[in-house]
Amino acid sequence: MKRSPHYSTRQSEAVLAYIASLDGRHITAAQILEHFQSSEGHIGRTTIYRQLEKLVEDGKVLRYSCNGSPGACYQYVGGIQSEEKNCHLKCENCGSLFHLEDEVAKEISRRLFEKKGFIMDNIKTVFYGVCSSCAKEESHV
Amino acid sequence: MKRSPHYSTRQSEAVLAYIASLDGRHITAAQILEHFQSSEGHIGRTTIYRQLEKLVEDGKVLRYSCNGSPGACYQYVGGIQSEEKNCHLKCENCGSLFHLEDEVAKEISRRLFEKKGFIMDNIKTVFYGVCSSCAKEESHV
DNA sequence: TTGCGTGCAAAGGTTTTGCATGGCA
DNA sequence: TGCCATGCAAAACCTTTGCACGCAA
């Protein structure tokens, strides 16, 4: 659980910059790999996986699987969660990511503790579902 | 996207029966594989994967990834993808997976809907954190 | 100088595919 | 009988590891 200090390298900066530049959209590991194979600033596969691992540990990036397809997806959340350590809501329809107010998160967290003695990790926990805009659209169809 | 008619075979029945017998608990592909390697009614790897694929297409079974661990998880949902299915609590320390009582899940779900208009997907949502037994141990250390 | 970071090659594990055979309807 | 299903072996994937070298602090 302890974190070693991170060195700043060309590769670590580039991976973070790239995934952060997606503005919250998610991307597959394969796509990241491909991006850094082709662009002039080549980065090895191993390094990319290891940087992603660190970003996930740091809570800057989320890792999850997209719809049963093999291969993980990554999504930058560093900007969202920097101040408050909030949970996220992930819309399975449009892919948008929302952050949950601290108040509600705490309430849920407390509930889980009372009922199950479970200490929720706000950074890692992601609620999946359908966001309000998508729910509206679906009801029209 | 079209479905061919399915033949009923010893293997297809056995796979469905096994996963349905878990009463909603999920299971990894590896565990299913193992089960049918060892039990007297041996079923080949390929067949198991293909049966699972069909069950997922039919909506009888859900496939998702358990956190970052490689390998998919499957869960029987019997065609009713209702809001009544349980969420899971995943302990980041010991790795145990717990089920969350329907009552609590509903409460949380309702809260998210009220506050954010977000319709939670109970099946996909996983709460990460530390379970009660691990919390106790940690406090002793 | 120290120890983390990098990247190649190779290993490890999961899932899919080719193909000949078996079995349901 | 006509297809679909099965299962072995092998291929195709995704991710991690071993190891020697590079480089930030």
Side-chain angles (χ1 to χ4, degrees):
Chain A
M1 234 48 181
K2 54 121 61 82
R3 317 293 343 292
S4 321
H6 290 176
Y7 288 3
S8 172
T9 62
R10 174 182 72 81
Q11 291 87 339
S12 69
E13 306 270 309
V15 171
L16 176 56
Y18 179 56
I19 193 165
S21 77
L22 298 174
D23 196 32
R25 271 164 294 147
H26 64 211
I27 187 171
T28 64
Q31 289 172 312
I32 298 173
L33 271 282
E34 195 192 343
H35 175 81
F36 286 109
Q37 299 301 310
S38 52
S39 73
E40 79 279 357
H42 179 277
I43 302 182
R45 189 176 34 194
T46 310
T47 300
I48 291 172
Y49 276 111
R50 287 200 273 235
Q51 285 302 332
L52 287 171
E53 191 183 347
K54 283 175 190 167
L55 292 171
V56 170
E57 279 177 17
D58 285 348
K60 289 180 181 165
V61 163
L62 285 178
R63 175 194 169 140
Y64 45 84
S65 88
C66 287
N67 286 337
S69 59
C73 277
Y74 296 87
Q75 179 172 22
Y76 182 72
V77 294
I80 302 178
Q81 67 98 57
S82 52
E83 298 181 359
E84 314 155 45
K85 292 189 172 178
N86 285 337
C87 311
H88 295 107
L89 309 178
K90 171 85 179 172
C91 179
E92 296 180 84
N93 188 51
C94 66
S96 303
L97 196 77
F98 305 88
H99 86 264
L100 184 60
E101 287 82 358
D102 210 31
E103 178 211 341
V104 186
K106 272 184 184 156
E107 201 177 304
I108 291 172
S109 178
R110 180 162 39 75
R111 209 76 192 81
L112 289 178
F113 185 71
E114 285 169 4
K115 280 284 180 181
K116 309 286 291 182
F118 187 84
I119 302 168
M120 183 168 90
D121 179 341
N122 287 24
I123 292 181
K124 281 211 174 174
T125 299
V126 179
F127 295 88
Y128 291 92
V130 181
C131 73
S132 51
S133 356
C134 287
K136 274 174 208 153
E137 281 176 26
E138 280 183 9
S139 65
H140 292 167
V141 183
Chain B
M1 236 44 184
K2 55 120 61 83
R3 319 292 341 292
S4 321
H6 292 175
Y7 287 2
S8 173
T9 63
R10 173 181 72 82
Q11 291 87 339
S12 68
E13 307 269 310
V15 172
L16 176 57
Y18 180 56
I19 194 164
S21 77
L22 298 174
D23 194 31
R25 270 164 293 149
H26 65 209
I27 188 171
T28 64
Q31 290 173 312
I32 298 174
L33 271 281
E34 196 192 343
H35 176 81
F36 286 109
Q37 300 301 310
S38 51
S39 74
E40 79 279 357
H42 180 276
I43 302 182
R45 192 174 35 198
T46 310
T47 300
I48 292 173
Y49 276 111
R50 287 200 273 233
Q51 284 302 331
L52 286 171
E53 190 184 348
K54 283 175 189 167
L55 291 171
V56 170
E57 278 177 16
D58 285 348
K60 290 181 182 165
V61 163
L62 236 52
R63 175 195 167 140
Y64 49 86
S65 89
C66 284
N67 192 15
S69 61
C73 277
Y74 296 86
Q75 178 175 17
Y76 182 73
V77 293
I80 320 160
Q81 190 154 317
S82 74
E83 297 173 19
E84 315 230 341
K85 293 292 173 182
N86 287 339
C87 310
H88 293 119
L89 308 179
K90 172 84 175 174
C91 179
E92 297 180 81
N93 188 50
C94 66
S96 303
L97 196 79
F98 306 88
H99 284 261
L100 184 59
E101 286 81 359
D102 207 35
E103 177 210 341
V104 186
K106 268 184 185 159
E107 208 174 291
I108 291 172
S109 177
R110 181 161 37 74
R111 208 78 192 79
L112 289 178
F113 184 71
E114 286 168 4
K115 280 283 180 179
K116 309 287 291 183
F118 187 84
I119 302 169
M120 183 167 89
D121 178 342
N122 288 24
I123 291 175
K124 278 212 175 175
T125 299
V126 178
F127 295 88
Y128 293 94
V130 181
C131 73
S132 52
S133 359
C134 288
K136 274 175 208 155
E137 281 175 26
E138 280 183 9
S139 66
H140 293 166
V141 183

